[in-house]
Amino acid sequence: MPDFPFSAVVGQHTMQTALLAAAVDPGLGGVLIRGQKGTAKSTVVRALVSVLPPILAVADCPYHCPPDNPALMHDGCRQRLQDEQKLVSEEQPTPFVDLPLSATEDRLIGTLHLGKTLQTGERHFEAGLFAAANRGILYVDEVNLLPDHLVDLLLDVASSGINRVEREGLRFSHPAQFLLIGSMNPEEGELRPQFLDRFGLCVSVTGLSDHALRREIITRRLAYEQDPEAFCRTYAAMEGLLRQQVRQAQARLPEIILEPEALNRAVALSSAGKTQGHRAELAIVRTARALAALCERNTISLADIDEAARYALPHRLGDALGATPEDMLERLPRLLETANGDEPVPAEEDLLPVDSLMENMDFPGSAAAGSMLFTYLKKKLMTDISVQTKRSS
């Protein structure tokens, strides 16, 4: 059965935007999604793969090495390339690995393959989940319940992009560049503050209170369960648009221009929030760059910076020991207004524009984080449909 479409989820544009930005720039450092049960956290994460473009990889490689980039290959593929052996390549779906809470460290990083070692007399490495997730997504549901030493290992490898294994006389390393996504229910326990800071983005999701939206959620879910294939076809156009936007944004990312005003704004926000270190402003700038790329712009605007701050700052604001990201999120509007002193700040309606074409469409929470991107995407979809209709007539 196909996964529930990414674009069919109602009222969670904040979470969806953070995931799309991180998919465009995995170097953001991963996404932590916090929320109560039943708020579509796992549904949205698993559906993300369907809107990501496929990757080109060496066909028989367990690490999904790119056939045209020796710097990102593991030693085996690189050696074959140097020996002028033919590397057969193929398009593969973006890897998605769901890490179970019961996973061991060996299962995660890989270990000695005893069977082959006994047969050949030579040590052989058995790839783990880090290898399977290379160039893809590693998802940890209920990450707050994962043992601390595994969380630490996850974040270290996600940050370095390399998995190094030294045990039982075996020394081996391979690329492990993946987008780390964690979800959790805060009612079941919190992550330690130092772990929170290592996630590039943090979003909080809640159930919807609007009765019409709650009815729409049930209607869509029942339609999906009754005929998954037909339901997914209904959202095929939007899914295709998202896939196209991600692919183009990934290509456009290095060309995005960061103006001094936008950089100053990111620094001012981080400083006003009393964040420790400099991960906050770096996360803000990289997120803003991804948002600009997704919206097909070449320059980062102040609106992009303020939107990015909604994802990069709530878990990093440093003057409220013991406060949760949800608590700190309530401070952001005031922080956005005061961070630059007397410098004028764009009004909320300017930050999150809603085109007149979209006024009659189902688009909840126009003032919420994530609205700017999805307003743009829906406008683009309606324009594309209009152009196709005119051509066919």
Side-chain angles (χ1 to χ4, degrees):
M1 186 168 69
D3 289 327
F4 194 87
F6 186 85
S7 56
V9 175
V10 177
Q12 298 296 355
H13 293 140
T14 301
M15 172 169 47
Q16 291 168 300
T17 299
L19 291 173
L20 289 173
V24 170
D25 184 5
L28 280 170
V31 181
L32 178 64
I33 304 170
R34 299 163 50 89
Q36 298 175 339
K37 54 183 179 294
T39 48
K41 301 186 297 295
S42 298
T43 297
V44 172
V45 173
R46 293 188 172 95
L48 177 64
V49 177
S50 65
V51 298
L52 299 184
I55 63 172
L56 189 64
V58 177
D60 58 348
C61 176
Y63 309 100
H64 318 292
C65 288
D68 54 354
N69 192 342
L72 298 181
M73 290 180 177
H74 82 290
D75 292 342
C77 282
R78 191 181 301 111
Q79 187 60 52
R80 290 166 61 188
L81 190 65
Q82 293 174 354
D83 294 341
E84 299 183 352
Q85 297 181 26
K86 183 178 181 181
L87 297 178
V88 179
S89 60
E90 64 179 9
E91 276 196 350
Q92 301 176 0
T94 298
F96 181 89
V97 174
D98 198 337
L99 176 64
L101 292 177
S102 59
T104 63
E105 184 173 335
D106 284 348
R107 182 73 185 96
L108 195 57
I109 67 175
T111 187
L112 187 68
H113 193 301
L114 294 177
K116 289 185 178 179
T117 300
L118 292 173
Q119 289 177 2
T120 64
E122 297 179 357
R123 291 183 174 87
H124 289 269
F125 180 71
E126 183 175 10
L129 295 179
F130 282 150
N134 187 39
R135 302 182 66 199
I137 295 172
L138 182 61
Y139 174 49
V140 189
D141 192 13
E142 299 181 323
V143 64
N144 52 321
L145 303 183
L146 201 65
D148 285 347
H149 72 283
L150 291 186
V151 175
D152 199 15
L153 181 62
L154 273 172
L155 295 175
D156 285 343
V157 174
S159 175
S160 67
I162 300 175
N163 178 35
R164 295 181 176 87
V165 183
E166 296 187 14
R167 56 177 53 191
E168 299 167 342
L170 176 70
R171 300 184 65 182
F172 188 82
S173 65
H174 65 80
Q177 299 185 351
F178 51 81
L179 171 59
L180 176 63
I181 302 176
S183 61
M184 57 177 282
N185 182 351
E187 296 176 348
E188 298 173 346
E190 293 285 354
L191 279 177
R192 297 210 310 265
Q194 59 267 39
F195 289 162
L196 267 177
D197 182 61
R198 293 290 296 275
F199 281 95
L201 308 180
C202 178
V203 294
S204 298
V205 296
T206 59
L208 305 180
S209 58
D210 184 274
H211 286 191
L213 296 179
R214 293 175 76 98
R215 287 196 299 269
E216 182 64 19
I217 290 173
I218 302 305
T219 300
R220 294 188 187 186
R221 185 67 198 187
L222 292 177
Y224 167 73
E225 292 176 355
Q226 182 175 359
D227 191 341
E229 300 290 345
F231 183 82
C232 290
R233 284 196 296 271
T234 303
Y235 292 90
M238 189 59 174
E239 297 285 284
L241 172 61
L242 286 170
R243 197 176 302 113
Q244 171 186 318
Q245 293 299 112
V246 171
R247 180 187 292 109
Q248 293 178 351
Q250 289 172 340
R252 185 182 294 112
L253 196 66
E255 303 172 2
I256 303 298
I257 299 173
L258 174 62
E259 299 286 0
E261 294 81 2
L263 178 57
N264 290 341
R265 176 69 168 166
V267 172
L269 287 171
S270 298
S271 179
K274 300 180 181 179
T275 62
Q276 298 181 2
H278 304 286
R279 285 178 180 155
E281 49 260 61
L282 184 58
I284 291 174
V285 169
R286 297 189 74 153
T287 304
R289 183 176 62 174
L291 292 175
L294 282 165
C295 291
E296 301 181 275
R297 288 184 273 101
N298 294 324
T299 303
I300 297 174
S301 67
L302 293 181
D304 293 325
I305 293 292
D306 286 359
E307 174 81 351
R310 301 175 189 273
Y311 312 110
L313 286 184
H315 58 308
R316 291 191 170 100
L317 298 180
D319 58 351
L321 185 63
T324 67
E326 289 83 359
D327 297 331
M328 305 309 286
L329 187 61
E330 296 178 359
R331 289 187 47 217
L332 272 178
R334 185 169 68 254
L335 185 66
L336 293 175
E337 293 175 1
T338 61
N340 281 354
D342 296 332
E343 183 177 336
V345 178
E348 187 74 12
E349 58 266 25
D350 296 329
L351 290 176
L352 305 171
V354 179
D355 190 89
S356 58
L357 180 65
M358 311 303 299
E359 289 179 355
N360 297 321
M361 295 189 65
D362 171 24
F363 185 66
S366 61
S371 298
M372 181 171 64
L373 173 60
F374 275 82
T375 297
Y376 174 81
L377 292 174
K378 288 190 176 182
K379 177 180 177 182
K380 180 178 176 65
L381 178 63
M382 293 299 294
T383 303
D384 291 347
I385 292 175
S386 176
V387 171
Q388 293 173 7
T389 302
K390 289 180 181 179
R391 287 177 178 173
S392 60
S393 60

